[in-house]
Amino acid sequence: MAKVTTVEQAMEIAADQTLLASCAKTFSVGGLLVDDAGNVLHAIPNQVIKDGYTSDPTAHGERQLIDWYYSNRPGLPPPSQVTVVTSLDPCCMCTGAILTAGFKVLTAAYDTYSGINYDKTSNFPSLTIGMASRAKERFGYPEVVDGVCYNRPAKGPENNVPAFTAKTIEGRTVALCESIFEATLMAVRNQINNDLPFDQLGDIDSLPSSDPIRVALSRKYPQALQYRSRAPFTPDEGLAPYLKAMMQHDIALGGRGQAVALLDHHGNLLLCMSGSEATSSIRTAFMEVTRTYAGLRRQLQLDGNKDTRKYLPHPKYCTFVFGLGPMLDDSHPVRHDIGPDSQTQSFMELGAYGSTMEGALDAVNPSPYQYVRPRMNAATLAAFCKKLPPLYSGEIKVNPIQVANEALIEAIGGSA
Ligand SMILES: [Zn+2]
């Protein structure tokens, strides 16, 4: 196991990971986990794009490091003694994941478009008061020296890793982390959004049941295509049994009863999953669904299936139906006794939804994020979403809404 004694040494490992990401033509970001003694536990690049296809829209370096931690946990120090060292300021998804897990953070470069510290104040205006106070204790932005124009003072906790004898980063390291990300950003985003336009999409339900796309889909979810909503983008009461079954499955697994269904642009049920929070507290239902869908599309395309994008459209043409709505309101008490913090998980899911869309929504489907049972006031939620970093509030316009169908709401258990 490598050992580092300065923040610069740790940041150089993160910078090396950005090079790997750049060569793989994915977002050029990387990071590592370091314990308080300076041991490097694991380092990893972003892996959103693999072999030219979107592999997993949630495969940011930080998110993967946290899942690695949960898979290797016996023998590792507790999260409060582990720091995520990252080349770029964490996005909303990764911030939610980091706060859920309880890690500390050291960041090299700011990201003024999608970073949680997009305004560089370290006040975290996109978070609730409770979440922001925890971020202020844990998210450090070390002092940068030697740069001609990269000099900056330290912001946030400077002593995140007690073993570090020097707390500053060199300007050239920050310059690399920042410029390699910016140089490749638009190419990667375009790659994620190179799908067919709406008017060229097909109806998967018109394919014979032996079609490889249908076969692959039903392997992921045997009940796929057993339900279709009466109108596109309008989930109705016919979805209730599928959603309810997975919500109950989630409770049986120790979760709080969350499930997410994915409907395509005709309203065909593609997937419905619970979380896998016994494995990792950041494997919530939405994370499982969006990753499963992306993985399915990538595998079919790698297998040479040219109709994949026609019958399994970009997620912006789909509807994610959450059994439980977001919970982002400090006036609700945080219930650690019933598992991980719902607020940080909800924030992670809003961010992961943004990473899944990775661009403006299409006018044909203004609300791909719908929920059945609310857990907070709708106006408070809308105001919260307007304060997210520019990618989410200005470009994607993240806007979760409650489903319109009263019978579905009734079937899933009504009001908050
Ligand atoms: Zn991220």
Side-chain angles (χ1 to χ4, degrees):
M1 195 186 317
K3 193 153 181 159
V4 284
T5 57
T6 69
V7 68
E8 171 62 23
Q9 287 172 355
M11 223 43 106
E12 284 174 11
I13 295 174
D16 286 346
Q17 296 295 319
T18 70
L19 302 178
L20 295 178
S22 174
C23 293
K25 297 192 176 355
T26 184
F27 292 116
S28 299
V29 185
L32 56 149
L33 290 180
V34 181
D35 70 16
D36 280 355
N39 295 306
V40 176
L41 306 177
H42 194 58
I44 204 161
N46 178 291
Q47 297 186 51
V48 168
I49 306 274
K50 263 188 182 173
D51 307 309
Y53 298 106
T54 303
S55 169
D56 173 357
T58 76
H60 295 189
E62 307 95 303
R63 202 281 296 153
Q64 296 180 91
L65 287 168
I66 295 169
D67 272 331
W68 177 89
Y69 176 87
Y70 282 120
S71 327
N72 294 273
R73 186 158 41 168
L76 294 174
S80 60
Q81 294 170 25
V82 175
T83 300
V84 174
V85 179
T86 177
S87 66
L88 191 73
D89 193 32
C91 70
C92 291
M93 169 183 72
C94 292
T95 298
I98 290 164
L99 290 173
T100 299
F103 292 105
K104 303 178 284 188
V105 184
L106 285 172
T107 292
Y110 289 116
D111 176 357
T112 57
Y113 198 52
S114 36
I116 195 62
N117 197 3
Y118 69 95
D119 65 356
K120 305 184 183 179
T121 62
S122 287
N123 288 325
F124 307 107
S126 299
L127 298 173
T128 64
I129 292 166
M131 286 194 286
S133 72
R134 275 177 282 159
K136 284 176 192 171
E137 288 164 11
R138 293 178 195 166
F139 283 46
Y141 299 83
E143 181 183 358
V144 182
V145 292
D146 291 344
V148 178
C149 63
Y150 286 90
N151 289 328
R152 76 176 188 217
K155 282 245 170 89
E158 285 186 76
N159 296 308
N160 261 351
V161 183
F164 284 173
T165 54
K167 316 281 187 195
T168 59
I169 322 177
E170 293 181 21
R172 60 185 172 180
T173 307
V174 176
L176 168 62
C177 292
E178 184 177 299
S179 56
I180 197 168
F181 172 70
E182 288 178 353
T184 54
L185 174 63
M186 287 322 292
V188 179
R189 294 191 71 200
N190 290 339
Q191 170 71 27
I192 294 171
N193 279 296
N194 72 349
D195 272 66
L196 299 178
F198 185 72
D199 60 6
Q200 291 177 34
L201 298 177
D203 183 356
I204 189 172
D205 201 34
S206 70
L207 296 172
S209 57
S210 60
D211 185 274
I213 297 176
R214 285 187 65 147
V215 171
L217 176 64
S218 62
R219 273 202 203 107
K220 297 289 180 194
Y221 180 56
Q223 285 80 43
L225 308 184
Q226 288 184 8
Y227 161 77
R228 177 175 171 125
S229 60
R230 288 188 294 273
F233 314 122
T234 314
D236 52 42
E237 69 276 13
L239 180 61
Y242 303 94
L243 205 49
K244 216 168 182 170
M246 278 299 158
M247 291 170 81
Q248 282 161 357
H249 182 63
D250 191 61
I251 289 170
L253 292 175
R256 48 168 73 69
Q258 178 66 293
V260 175
L262 178 65
L263 310 184
D264 74 5
H265 56 295
H266 289 285
N268 292 310
L269 175 61
L270 301 180
L271 293 170
C272 185
M273 301 177 77
S274 69
S276 187
E277 293 175 36
T279 314
S280 155
S281 64
I282 68 167
R283 288 185 64 174
T284 63
F286 178 75
M287 302 297 273
E288 297 295 283
V289 167
T290 191
R291 291 162 69 172
T292 300
Y293 188 59
L296 174 68
R297 296 175 84 223
R298 172 176 175 268
Q299 191 55 54
L300 282 162
Q301 290 177 91
L302 278 178
D303 292 346
N305 194 309
K306 293 194 168 36
D307 288 334
T308 304
R309 296 182 307 159
K310 180 174 178 184
Y311 294 104
L312 294 174
H314 188 284
K316 71 184 171 191
Y317 296 123
C318 298
T319 307
F320 291 93
V321 189
F322 290 64
L324 305 176
M327 222 300 280
L328 295 152
D329 184 349
D330 277 329
S331 62
H332 290 259
V334 173
R335 293 279 308 276
H336 290 292
D337 55 320
I338 53 167
D341 180 350
S342 285
Q343 292 208 27
T344 55
Q345 286 184 327
S346 290
F347 191 73
M348 173 182 71
E349 291 187 321
L350 277 185
Y353 166 78
S355 296
T356 297
M357 298 303 149
E358 201 57 69
L361 301 177
D362 193 300
V364 73
N365 185 22
S367 300
Y369 189 140
Q370 300 193 23
Y371 58 87
V372 181
R373 192 192 302 170
R375 286 191 293 177
M376 66 183 288
N377 176 278
T380 310
L381 175 58
F384 184 90
C385 291
K386 288 208 165 61
K387 293 194 299 184
L388 294 172
L391 167 69
Y392 310 91
S393 58
E395 184 173 357
I396 301 168
K397 299 185 172 69
V398 170
N399 171 37
I401 58 165
Q402 190 177 22
V403 297
N405 184 275
E406 292 290 342
L408 176 56
I409 297 169
E410 183 74 18
I412 294 298
S415 55

